[in-house]
Amino acid sequence: MSDETLPDAIVVEHLSKAYGPKWVVRDLNLRVPTGCVYGFLGRNGAGKSTTIKMLTGMAPADAGRVTLLGQDVATLTPLVRSRIAYMAEGHPLYSWMTIGQIVQFTRPFYENWDQTLVDQILDHFELSRKQKCGRLSRGQQAQVSLALAMAPDPELLILDDPTLGLDTVVRRDFLEALIQLIQSRGRTIFFSSHVLGDVERVATRIGVMIDGVLRVDCPTETFRDSVRKVVLGFNGEPPDFPGCEGLVTWRRVGLELELVIVNWGPAQQAVVEALEPRWTDVMTLNLEDAFIEYTRGSKRSLPLFTRGTKRADSTVIERTA
Amino acid sequence: MRIALLSKELRECALYACLALLVQIHYLGAGMGLPLIPFLDAGRGFEIPFLANNNSGRETTFTMIVIVAAIAFGLHQSVWESWRQTALFLLHRPLPQSQIFLTKLAAGGLLLLGVSALPLLVYSLWAATPGTHASPFFWGMTDSWWRSVGIAVICYLGAFLTGIRPARWLGSRTWPLIASVVLALGLKYAPIWPALIYVGFAGLAAGLIGLIIDTAQRREYP
């Protein structure tokens, strides 16, 4: 059976949640195809963790519906839940248990528990079964959580910021193990992260939440390729930008006008040229830069230092005098 | 899987249970002339077991111990899990949430009976054995003590509900516990037929278990 004929692993319809008067998640609609590795992005407070909790049934939604592996999450049967792995943010484990004990505790809940895989993962990360979970580093806790999550051979993995707080080396090890497991088993993974490099390495599709609303839902490459940063240089005070199709945001930085535009093309170029700038830079961005430009809106951090900023990571694809 | 969960819960509360049991063994043992720490029970002299309104205060002590243990079990089993965020780990196990919470309550109930009903039964059997003390005994004399066990069960469930109940401030959060204590004490001393008191405890416990399951399924886990 080809992937196109498989049902979506995650279907979210009109999902909303508010805390008091504030909407944390608003009318979220999302489909994650089976076999997809979906990176769920957003700034702090954008609603990622709340969404993930609603996906796993750990937080009730105010409105909307979530379907996991074809079953409504509100009435998820134990059998379907056993096919879904969930790694919560911070990898909570019982601190008084040893690694061996937590494996023994978790094992009876699953019929198809792969103890060999658990042993392989624990051995790969050089984790002793006698170590207490409370004395493990964050990275080791993540590794134990990964072993516990993978052992029942889940079809769907939901990971809430799995690499949060891990140092670069541990993060890389963790991701490589994750990639290996994904490739060998072809599972669906939905994960949130703040580390855009990780997302770029792993995710085939991304979603970007901004203030509780899903603004982007497309293949990773599409997002990276369609966001452009356009800088216009002027001799004097830059004019107001009149707006154009695909404009995400614009701002003045000294004698420059910075635009973030999705799907840069002749129509947008015509609007820019009408302002008669002294020069124009159109830059492609890597995922991290594209995400930052797309999500930070009109606010800029440390505006005092922006004039001297080098654009070392970006490629100048066009400059007009 | 329920056995694994039950055993986890029993282990997590084992420390409180051991402490409560040691205190019970000391005070009830003292009633049998065998205190665990003799100097702590010196000068009390002979007392008639289960005699109502005697001045040894043994029943009051028993009641206080089981109430404190009940509240400790209830709060530990509910608050600790949320506070350490292990609720997210536990509740994703493939077992219906209601069964997870019922297993937790079963573990707490077992421990509570272990530190209240079991020592009380031993003390009662000792008192019922001819030749152990020079005073009359009939099982009806233990009624008031068994009511204290009923109070403890209600307090345990009230504490558990307080622990899992989301609320903005401590006052509104603790009302299930406060209401449980008040209702249970009211039932213990209610001037009604004794059997009705136990029916009342059972009804109250069933209501609290229903509320716990309902709250657990509706709430958000941090």
Side-chain angles (χ1 to χ4, degrees):
Chain A
M1 198 190 282
S2 70
D3 279 0
E4 284 77 29
T5 59
L6 290 171
D8 292 322
I10 301 175
V11 179
V12 178
E13 294 168 308
H14 306 292
L15 193 70
S16 298
K17 184 160 185 73
Y19 292 120
K22 188 179 178 345
W23 287 99
V24 184
V25 177
R26 204 168 187 175
D27 198 31
L28 175 66
N29 290 288
L30 179 69
R31 280 175 182 272
V32 179
T34 300
C36 173
V37 180
Y38 195 99
F40 195 48
L41 311 175
R43 296 175 63 181
N44 291 335
K48 300 187 302 296
S49 286
T50 306
T51 302
I52 287 182
K53 279 184 189 170
M54 286 193 282
L55 288 187
T56 52
M58 299 299 160
D62 290 337
R65 186 165 177 257
V66 175
T67 308
L68 299 181
L69 301 178
Q71 201 169 92
D72 193 320
V73 78
T75 54
L76 211 58
T77 60
L79 189 66
V80 175
R81 198 173 275 279
S82 70
R83 290 158 56 202
I84 302 165
Y86 168 46
M87 279 170 65
E89 189 178 325
H91 313 292
L93 297 169
Y94 293 105
S95 55
W96 59 271
M97 286 188 190
T98 62
I99 293 175
Q101 284 171 334
I102 202 153
V103 171
Q104 287 307 311
F105 169 69
T106 315
R107 186 177 180 166
F109 288 91
Y110 299 93
E111 277 178 18
N112 49 343
W113 181 267
D114 188 346
Q115 186 60 39
T116 312
L117 180 65
V118 174
D119 291 337
Q120 278 174 354
I121 296 175
L122 294 179
D123 290 342
H124 170 78
F125 291 121
E126 296 172 351
L127 290 166
S128 159
R129 313 308 187 264
K130 290 178 183 168
Q131 278 178 278
K132 283 225 172 196
C133 294
R135 299 202 169 180
L136 299 176
S137 67
R138 261 179 184 266
Q140 288 172 320
Q141 284 181 5
Q143 290 156 356
V144 174
S145 296
L146 180 69
L148 296 176
M150 292 309 300
D153 195 14
E155 291 167 42
L156 170 63
L157 281 96
I158 299 175
L159 318 174
D160 192 358
D161 222 340
T163 55
L164 180 73
L166 310 190
D167 70 48
T168 318
V169 177
V170 175
R171 215 177 66 225
R172 182 61 63 96
D173 275 355
F174 180 89
L175 279 174
E176 275 171 6
L178 193 64
I179 292 167
Q180 259 189 14
L181 292 165
I182 297 163
Q183 283 170 344
S184 62
R185 299 190 178 223
R187 301 310 191 202
T188 310
I189 299 193
F190 183 91
F191 75 107
S192 69
S193 182
H194 282 102
V195 186
L196 278 293
D198 294 351
V199 178
E200 201 161 18
R201 280 164 53 84
V202 180
T204 51
R205 194 175 177 89
I206 59 162
V208 179
M209 290 280 279
I210 299 175
D211 297 331
V213 178
L214 187 71
R215 298 282 186 198
V216 173
D217 177 23
C218 63
T220 312
E221 281 183 13
T222 307
F223 178 72
R224 195 176 45 212
D225 295 344
S226 57
V227 179
R228 292 281 187 280
K229 183 174 179 179
V230 182
V231 184
L232 315 178
F234 293 89
N235 286 324
E237 176 78 4
D240 283 352
F241 190 71
C244 65
E245 196 181 332
L247 178 73
V248 176
T249 184
W250 70 271
R251 57 189 159 252
R252 283 193 198 88
V253 184
L255 300 180
E256 295 173 1
L257 197 61
E258 286 186 3
L259 317 172
V260 179
I261 293 176
V262 177
N263 294 330
W264 170 256
Q268 290 83 357
Q269 196 166 356
V271 177
V272 164
E273 281 170 2
L275 297 175
E276 297 177 347
R278 197 164 60 88
W279 51 264
T280 305
D281 273 358
V282 182
M283 291 174 278
T284 54
L285 306 168
N286 60 28
L287 184 66
E288 184 160 358
D289 290 336
F291 172 79
I292 290 167
E293 294 301 339
Y294 193 84
T295 56
R296 77 171 161 191
S298 54
K299 290 176 194 162
R300 281 197 70 105
S301 55
L302 301 174
L304 204 62
F305 305 122
T306 52
R307 282 181 68 83
T309 304
K310 295 280 184 196
R311 303 181 193 101
D313 293 338
S314 307
T315 311
V316 178
I317 60 165
E318 185 181 326
R319 167 167 271 198
T320 52
Chain B
M1 62 183 97
R2 285 178 196 85
I3 301 287
L5 181 55
L6 195 69
S7 128
K8 172 194 96 70
E9 293 297 324
L10 293 175
R11 277 194 69 169
E12 283 186 339
C13 286
L15 181 66
Y16 299 112
C18 285
L19 280 174
L21 196 59
L22 281 175
V23 180
Q24 290 287 35
I25 289 170
H26 170 74
Y27 279 104
L28 295 183
M32 295 183 271
L34 289 166
L36 207 60
I37 309 167
F39 77 90
L40 281 180
D41 209 66
R44 289 208 188 199
F46 174 76
E47 65 182 75
I48 299 173
F50 297 110
L51 181 67
N53 302 321
N54 70 4
N55 55 11
S56 73
R58 213 162 293 283
E59 185 190 343
T60 312
T61 310
F62 172 81
T63 308
M64 291 303 294
I65 294 166
V66 294
I67 288 178
V68 169
I71 293 172
F73 293 157
L75 288 178
H76 183 87
Q77 281 187 291
S78 52
V79 175
W80 194 251
E81 200 92 59
S82 293
W83 189 49
R84 300 297 300 266
Q85 293 190 323
T86 45
L88 297 178
F89 176 82
L90 180 65
L91 295 177
H92 189 67
R93 297 312 107 197
L95 192 64
Q97 253 189 37
S98 57
Q99 287 193 33
I100 291 177
F101 279 92
L102 284 173
T103 310
K104 275 177 157 290
L105 293 177
L110 274 176
L111 285 172
L112 195 53
L113 293 179
V115 301
S116 60
L118 189 66
L120 177 55
L121 198 63
V122 170
Y123 186 45
S124 305
L125 286 172
W126 171 82
T129 307
T132 50
H133 58 97
S135 51
F137 173 81
F138 54 95
W139 281 94
M141 291 166 77
T142 63
D143 177 46
S144 176
W145 290 57
W146 285 107
R147 289 184 201 184
S148 296
V149 175
I151 293 180
V153 171
I154 301 303
C155 287
Y156 164 70
L157 294 170
F160 197 104
L161 182 56
T162 285
I164 62 162
R165 189 172 169 274
R168 280 170 193 260
W169 67 292
L170 198 65
S172 63
R173 185 162 191 165
T174 51
W175 82 255
L177 176 57
I178 294 165
S180 300
V181 173
V182 170
L183 283 171
L185 283 171
L187 257 178
K188 178 176 175 169
Y189 297 109
I192 52 174
W193 192 39
L196 277 181
I197 292 174
Y198 292 106
V199 171
F201 279 133
L204 208 52
L208 282 167
I209 290 170
L211 274 174
I212 287 168
I213 301 298
D214 183 60
T215 308
Q217 287 175 333
R218 283 169 187 268
R219 70 161 292 188
E220 177 178 342
Y221 292 89

